[in-house]
Amino acid sequence: METLLSAAEPIAIRVEDSSHAAAARMAVQGMAHGLGFNDARASDAAIVVTEAVSNIVKHAGRGIFVARSLARAGTLGIEMLAIDSGPGMASLPASSRDGHSTAGTPGTGLGAMGRIASEMEVFTRPGDGTIVRMVVWERRGVPPPAEDYQVGAVALPKAGETACGDAWGMETHPRGATLLVADGLGHGPDACVAAQAAVDALRRYPDERPSRVLDVAHGMLRATRGAAVAVMRHDLLAGTVAYAGIGNIAAVVLNGPDRKAMVSHNGILGHGAHRAHEFEYAWPGGALMVAHTDGLQSQWSLAEHSGIFGHHPSIIAALLVRDYSRGRDDVTVLAVRAPGSREER
């Protein structure tokens, strides 16, 4: 399973000019060295991010670059997402060939990224922008085995802020996994502290019921400004998810044409009294669960983006943040595909 490592903070950069390629490169190199990458592999990651951000500027003018650390089967890596709303690509194979360019450049960007990255996946359509997912693992050669749960997450601070007031976490247990999404009250560093406290509660009790995790988080958040928090405990064998939420975290399970929304209660965890009620929903293998903070519009849809369900959940999360962010708050989207058969939905 892929997870976020607390030792390396996620990176989020709003790309608006060519100087942001250098900023992104330095941030990713710092993450790579912090994870213990050797110099050669850190350099590989730097090349990938430089090409990715430069492509955003050349072809779309502006966009978003995010990166997070991964751990899979004892191997460490960095996932990078280059997100834009530009013209998109008419032909991905043609655009990936060295020498092909629509911006008057040598046309080696996508080709170089594909050769260096351990994993690379692109979602693009003419007029619908481009999202590129790249993973650089700490070692070249045979990649680690495929994960069971596919996990995608994009957390973006409010414009002008460096600390994101949202947070998420995921822990496995003998029957599946438990996930948490938190939105600290307000934004900035104090909101970040509150949201991270909720994630710490999950890490302390990874195998507890959602209501119990919320009870623990409620006590831990008393010294903070408080947060909206939702906890989802997936039972892989039963194909169900137990859900409990306080505040305006939204979550849905997408399974074929079915879209089932989960129910949260009003309130702020850490302040006042709270009563965490659990509800159970179907979450079968291959289905996608999407949870997000209120920085995302509630009326979002993936139906108009043909083929998107066949992509990694990180690309799905990136598309939702790109197209449906409110633009005036932190925003976090967590998308998780349960192990099992996957069909175009």
Side-chain angles (χ1 to χ4, degrees), residues 241-257:
V241 56
Y243 178 89
I246 300 293
N248 48 5
I249 304 293
V252 300
V253 175
L254 303 175
N255 185 31

Side-chain angles (χ1 to χ4, degrees), residues 43 109 150 188 214 268:
S43 178
Q150 282 194 326
L214 287 182
I268 301 172

Side-chain angles (χ1 to χ4, degrees), residues 81-141:
L81 294 168
I83 310 162
D84 72 61
S85 299
M89 304 179 202
S91 171
L92 178 59
S95 298
S96 300
R97 289 197 302 267
D98 289 348
H100 177 89
S101 174
T102 60
T105 62
T108 58
L110 275 178
M113 290 155 58
R115 287 189 294 272
I116 294 172
S118 309
E119 302 173 19
M120 182 168 158
E121 184 176 339
V122 182
F123 174 77
T124 186
R125 294 191 313 176
D128 198 21
T130 299
I131 301 171
V132 185
R133 175 183 182 263
M134 304 142 288
V135 178
V136 175
W137 295 103
E138 61 182 324
R139 293 186 295 273
R140 281 187 176 270

Side-chain angles (χ1 to χ4, degrees), residues 24 45 96 125 131 144 171 192 194 200 203 224 234 277 286 298 308 320:
S96 300
R125 294 191 313 176
I131 301 171
E171 298 288 337
C192 180
D200 289 342
R203 289 176 178 153
T224 74
H234 184 232
H277 297 285
S298 58
I308 189 65
L320 289 173

Side-chain angles (χ1 to χ4, degrees), residues 17-337:
D17 59 60
S18 58
S19 69
H20 290 128
R25 181 177 66 248
M26 291 179 61
V28 167
Q29 280 185 309
M31 176 181 281
H33 287 303
L35 292 171
F37 281 34
N38 61 32
D39 288 342
R41 224 37 197 142
S43 178
D44 285 344
I47 292 171
V48 169
V49 62
T50 302
E51 294 289 353
V53 175
S54 296
N55 277 350
I56 290 176
V57 176
K58 291 173 188 174
H59 300 289
R62 62 178 57 198
I64 301 167
F65 174 81
V66 295
R68 64 183 179 112
S69 55
L70 301 177
R72 189 198 296 169
T75 301
L76 303 182
I78 299 174
E79 178 191 72
M80 293 168 270
L81 294 168
I83 310 162
D84 72 61
S85 299
M89 304 179 202
S91 171
L92 178 59
S95 298
S96 300
R97 289 197 302 267
D98 289 348
H100 177 89
S101 174
T102 60
T105 62
T108 58
L110 275 178
M113 290 155 58
R115 287 189 294 272
I116 294 172
S118 309
E119 302 173 19
M120 182 168 158
E121 184 176 339
V122 182
F123 174 77
T124 186
R125 294 191 313 176
D128 198 21
T130 299
I131 301 171
V132 185
R133 175 183 182 263
M134 304 142 288
V135 178
V136 175
W137 295 103
E138 61 182 324
R139 293 186 295 273
R140 281 187 176 270
V142 180
E147 71 274 27
D148 45 14
Y149 285 91
Q150 282 194 326
V151 183
V154 174
L156 194 66
K158 179 182 177 182
E161 297 283 352
T162 56
C164 184
D166 299 341
W168 68 276
M170 179 173 181
E171 298 288 337
T172 59
H173 55 75
R175 293 184 62 89
T178 302
L179 305 106
L180 179 148
V181 175
D183 180 356
L185 193 63
H187 50 82
D190 289 341
C192 180
V193 168
Q196 289 295 336
V199 175
D200 289 342
L202 172 62
R203 289 176 178 153
R204 291 189 187 188
Y205 299 95
D207 197 20
E208 292 286 350
R209 300 290 305 179
S211 56
R212 171 61 175 156
V213 176
L214 287 182
D215 287 342
V216 172
H218 184 62
M220 294 175 65
L221 267 66
R222 288 189 183 278
T224 74
R225 59 172 56 179
V229 183
V231 182
M232 296 132 280
R233 188 179 192 275
H234 184 232
D235 188 319
L236 183 58
L237 294 177
T240 59
V241 56
Y243 178 89
I246 300 293
N248 48 5
I249 304 293
V252 300
V253 175
L254 303 175
N255 185 31
D258 297 329
R259 175 178 175 135
K260 184 63 177 179
M262 305 185 207
V263 177
S264 290
H265 291 281
N266 293 330
I268 301 172
L269 213 64
H271 294 273
H274 87 284
R275 296 183 64 185
H277 297 285
E278 289 186 18
F279 301 92
E280 187 172 283
Y281 305 91
W283 183 6
L288 186 75
M289 190 283 301
V290 176
H292 60 85
T293 61
D294 68 346
L296 196 77
Q297 300 172 31
S298 58
Q299 299 302 315
W300 55 265
S301 173
L302 298 174
E304 64 187 66
H305 302 282
S306 177
I308 189 65
F309 276 100
H311 285 276
H312 193 279
S314 288
I315 289 182
I316 295 173
L319 183 143
L320 289 173
V321 167
R322 184 194 72 179
D323 291 357
Y324 294 98
S325 292
R326 296 184 186 276
R328 56 180 184 270
D329 198 359
D330 308 309
V331 59
T332 291
V333 176
L334 174 64
V336 181
R337 182 175 285 116

